[in-house]
């Protein structure tokens, strides 16, 4: 379950990666991602854009059935606790949605 604290940690890790890792070192991502076929292809500018998107995104929570195929309803909850309490069945699962910041109104 992602929380705002998790997103903050990811943002900080991305900043560290952009500042401390060599963008030309493809082995670096393979080591840290523990995926032998991983290739590092992000520039510091791309990492900064991702950090910015994560920083402005909003976390919401939705309730899905146990098989993760159907949402219980269309309500998005602002807190995990609110979504957890809205479950119809103990086997229902709470999922995290990361929504982009709303565009400015014209």
């Amino acid at each position: 379950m992602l929380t705002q604290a998790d997103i903050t940690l990811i943002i900080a890790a991305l900043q560290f990666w952009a500042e401390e890792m060599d963008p030309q070192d493809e082995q670096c991502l393979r080591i840290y991602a523990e995926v032998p076929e991983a290739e590092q292809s992000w520039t510091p500018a791309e990492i900064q854009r991702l950090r910015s998107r994560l920083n402005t995104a909003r976390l919401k929570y939705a309730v899905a059935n146990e098989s993760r195929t159907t949402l219980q309803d269309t309500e998005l909850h602002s807190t995990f606790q609110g979504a957890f309490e809205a479950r119809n069945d103990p086997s229902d699962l709470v999922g995290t949605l990361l929504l982009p910041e709303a565009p400015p109104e014209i």
Side-chain angles (χ1 to χ4, degrees):
M1 182 60 51
L2 281 178
T3 66
Q4 191 59 51
D6 298 330
I7 298 297
T8 301
L9 176 61
I10 293 167
I11 291 168
L14 286 168
Q15 182 66 36
F16 177 83
W17 188 271
E19 292 175 355
E20 303 297 330
M21 301 303 182
D22 179 1
Q24 305 306 316
D25 182 4
E26 292 183 8
Q27 283 296 98
C28 196
L29 181 61
R30 290 181 181 130
I31 292 167
Y32 285 96
E34 299 178 357
V35 179
E37 66 278 3
E39 293 184 25
Q40 181 173 337
S41 61
W42 303 290
T43 65
E46 290 169 325
I47 292 171
Q48 184 57 36
R49 279 192 297 278
L50 176 56
R51 288 183 70 241
S52 179
R53 286 194 305 261
L54 287 171
N55 207 25
T56 59
R58 300 293 171 251
L59 281 178
K60 296 290 182 179
Y61 301 92
V63 180
N65 65 349
E66 184 177 16
S67 63
R68 299 173 190 96
T69 58
T70 306
L71 292 178
Q72 175 180 303
D73 58 37
T74 58
E75 182 176 0
L76 299 181
H77 302 271
S78 297
T79 66
F80 169 80
Q81 188 64 33
F84 186 81
E85 292 171 2
R87 297 176 311 146
N88 289 332
D89 186 279
S91 66
D92 287 343
L93 302 170
V94 176
T96 306
L97 298 172
L98 190 59
L99 300 172
E101 182 178 45
E105 296 204 20
I106 301 174

